[in-house]
């Protein structure tokens, strides 16, 4: 996780299925603690290593006081 000075929270992670990254974003959407979405759905990139597929994803949330 990283929080910028202007209140943009970036959460990065990995999952083995895209739907898991989407579910994580949906959980954050239901929480007032994590502000409002600063993007539509998670940004994701798929790669394969050692015969396994990994999805690297980023979720952006706006925690600024302007929300």
């Amino acid at each position: 996780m990283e929080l910028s000075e202007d209140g943009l929270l970036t959460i990065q992670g990995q999952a083995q299925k895209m739907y898991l990254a989407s579910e994580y974003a949906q959980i954050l959407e239901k929480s007032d603690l994590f502000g409002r979405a600063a993007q539509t759905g998670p940004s994701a990139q798929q790669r394969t290593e050692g015969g396994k597929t990994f999805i690297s994803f980023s979720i952006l949330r706006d925690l600024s006081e302007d929300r």
Side-chain angles (χ1 to χ4, degrees):
M1 280 203 276
E2 181 181 328
L3 181 60
S4 70
E5 289 183 21
D6 60 351
L8 185 63
L9 176 66
T10 303
I11 301 170
Q12 295 179 324
Q14 292 184 16
Q16 289 187 326
K17 305 280 184 195
M18 183 58 197
Y19 77 89
L20 294 174
S22 294
E23 282 182 358
Y24 190 51
Q26 289 173 3
I27 290 168
L28 294 177
E29 187 67 33
K30 294 176 185 176
S31 172
D32 290 336
L33 180 65
F34 284 98
R36 68 176 187 272
Q39 70 188 38
T40 302
S43 170
Q45 187 172 26
Q46 181 177 316
R47 71 180 197 289
T48 303
E49 289 181 17
K52 292 185 179 182
T53 300
F54 294 94
I55 310 295
S56 297
F57 64 89
S58 295
I59 298 170
L60 302 177
R61 305 293 297 179
D62 184 357
L63 302 180
S64 67
E65 293 185 19
D66 296 336
R67 59 185 176 112

